[in-house]
Amino acid sequence: MAKRSSLSIRIVEGKNLPAKDITGSSDPYCIVKVDNEPIIRTATVWKTLCPFWGEEYQVYLSPSFHAVAFYVMDEDALSRDDVIGKVCLTRDALAAHPKGFSGWAHLVEVDPDEEVQGEIHLRLEVVRGTQACLLRCSVLEARDLAPKDRNGASDPFVRVRYNGRTQETSVVKKSCYPRWNETFEFELKEGAAEALCVEAWDWDLVSRNDFLGKGPGQLIPLIEEMTSTECRQDVATNLLKLFLGQGLAKDFLDLLFQLELGRTSEANTLFRSNSLASKSMESFLKVAGMRYLHGVLGPIINKVFEEKKYVELDPSKVEVKDVGCSGLHRPQTEAEVLEQSAQTLRAHLGALLSALSRSVRACPAVVRATFRQLFRRVRERFPGAQHENLPFIAVTSFLCLRFFSPAIMAPKLFHLRERHADARTSRTLLLLAKAVQNVGNMDMQTSRAKEAWMEPLQPTVRQGVAQLKDFITKLVDIEEKEELDLQRALSLQAPPVKEGPLFIHRTKGKGPLMSSSFKKLHFSLTTEALSFAKTPSSKKSTLIKLASIRAAEKVEEKSFSSSHVMQVIYTDDTGQLQTAYLQCKSVNELNQWLSALRKVSINNSGLLGSYHPGIFRGDKWSCCHQKDKTDLGCDKTRSRVTLQEWNDPLDHDLEAQLLYQHLLGLEAALREKHQELSAGAGAGSVPTGPGEAPEDPLAQLLQVLHDLREAHASSPAGSPPAEPTCLLPLQT
């Protein structure tokens, strides 16, 4: 069985949400929790009851996870964010939809008494006496209980009921990881059918106690033909990553180019459909070219966001506003708005084209070599003078129309910004993307005729076409030796896995954590170490060697009276465990750093199975109140809960597993197709016995699927280490 599961999440939109603000609107965002662990936060969409998020995530989970919950929240600047509602999908519910669940889901109201989380550790035994039998229940400990109090913790106690009798443990103050070690006995009557009920409660001095929970060649065209349009993007991504990881992406895409060109008769329809070639090339650019995109496009996008200028070229949408200094206001004319907007867009477009022209050497060698193959194949297929621009348009159809333009229109989805643009900035980005598309179309008359009001940008567009053709000519001018040299140089550079500003904890005074503060530094995580420096350009100092990391986990908010704090537990040179506390600026950044740290250390020896989510302050742990600093952790680690990022190293095994699952779903259709082809060619049936070697590729594929399924069925079902049988998840 796989050591981890991969879950694709698309959070698209909401509609008809309830108003939570006095203005009659809401500011909704989504939080995604896996087993009550927040791992994703979408951007906030301001002042709307019908938000559109359009965000996609890939999450890696332990196969033993229980449920995924989606909380829709209303962001409030001055008070605690309101919960609008939630949707919860259990692992069994997800397994019932092998091709994925897609559609609208009704939000349910969140009842605080139903928001249960955590696990409780019990020991049950029957004590047989001479006159009666006793049921002995030992309440040992609990972990990861829901924080019910304003201080971010709870004051839990346990209530045990059986046979009409109720007993309670003592109250453990300010802890979500309590330890009781208390035992209760009940008379066990023969034939009694009543169940033992164990409840965890939060003790309150004034208000009612809060409920915490209860315990109980030929194949590619065939695969494309058999794959539905909805699944084609996922299959293309899996195939692309699989070949890219083997150093064969260029050859795989070259095959797809030839197949697409072979069935294209009209030059103006080339690569315009959602074929496997188009989808694979999109995935390729996102996987291999994202860092390049950031370098070229990032500064221009940041400038658009910072300026926040009103930009409009369509006369039917122009908003006339007042201009001038105090006392001298006058209405700005429509002509002035249009001219200023044209100037702004010409400046942005010119800056982008200049940055692109200078970026030939910055473009990854494998991307340049792939575009070289595309350029050559199109020129061979359409050699006439009337198709002189077609090889350039083929390149720009991917580079501009399917990569740069979508990134301009939705920079958050391409990791260029942390938040979605507001309405004004979105309009500027849309107009800039249209201009880039016109340049990518080589300023064809058909694209100009659609929106005549884009005419003020035509001088810059025509100049951009010349710049773009010169750029593409240089881009595809790469030979095999240069490609290998560039790839070798790139492999030696080893870019950071993640970097950015963090706040590191500094202790003041004597003793452990008597008082503390956080200092801002620039951190960089590579495949060798976690390092820091005063600024991004300063000399780096190693904080933690990668091989010494034992866990990366969150810290309870109450520990430092600060949110978004994580801890990196590692061994020092003497082999002793040490902990570094780092604070992030947002929950998304926290999850991204935790994910990155867990990925690079996943194969380390000595990874911890438990940890303390609190801190050792004074003479005890703040989470479970244990006084032994070396005490085993009171909560389990989550080393396999990670997010997929655009700059992740490729996981060939995972892509092969996902592709295998897809092909299993197509097996019946592929077998039927093979029988149809065999009947036409007079070939035999697919061999199913060991040692028989089919000759044609489709038969070979079916044989592989058959062998894999047989091997999987005959092997003992592997499973992750089981939790102790007496550790019960809290349920309602």
Side-chain angles (χ1 to χ4, degrees), residues 402-459:
R402 293 177 181 260
F403 195 38
F404 274 82
S405 287
I408 293 170
M409 288 189 287
K412 185 181 187 301
L413 302 186
F414 285 75
H415 315 285
L416 288 160
R417 300 288 298 187
E418 289 190 0
R419 290 180 173 268
H420 291 298
D422 56 28
R424 174 177 289 190
T425 305
S426 291
R427 183 61 180 170
T428 304
L429 294 173
L430 176 61
L431 293 172
L432 179 59
K434 285 179 178 290
V436 172
Q437 289 173 355
N438 285 348
V439 176
N441 285 326
M442 297 290 147
D443 191 29
M444 290 189 297
Q445 189 65 37
T446 52
S447 62
R448 270 192 282 168
K450 292 179 182 178
E451 293 162 333
W453 42 264
M454 294 285 289
E455 187 66 29
L457 301 184
Q458 283 310 115

Side-chain angles (χ1 to χ4, degrees), residues 688-702:
T688 56
E692 295 185 66
E695 295 181 357
D696 68 277
L698 180 53
Q700 289 177 358
L701 174 62
L702 290 168

Side-chain angles (χ1 to χ4, degrees), residues 124 135 160-165 186 188 191-198 214-216:
L124 301 174
L135 174 63
V160 185
R161 290 203 307 270
Y162 181 73
N163 199 18
R165 187 178 170 210
F186 301 88
L188 186 62
E194 182 182 354
L196 177 74
C197 181
V198 181
K214 299 181 181 180

Side-chain angles (χ1 to χ4, degrees), residues 517-572:
S517 64
F518 285 88
K519 181 178 180 181
K520 185 177 181 180
L521 294 169
H522 185 86
F523 281 81
S524 177
L525 175 65
T526 67
T527 53
E528 295 180 353
L530 177 65
S531 305
F532 67 92
K534 288 185 177 180
T535 65
S537 57
S538 302
K539 183 179 179 181
K540 293 180 176 63
S541 300
T542 298
L543 176 66
I544 302 171
K545 293 179 180 178
L546 178 64
S548 66
I549 294 178
R550 297 294 174 261
E553 300 292 336
K554 294 180 182 178
V555 177
E556 282 186 306
E557 187 172 333
K558 67 172 187 175
S559 301
F560 294 103
S561 298
S562 299
S563 54
H564 318 315
V565 179
M566 64 177 173
Q567 55 180 305
V568 183
I569 305 171
Y570 63 100
T571 53
D572 60 18

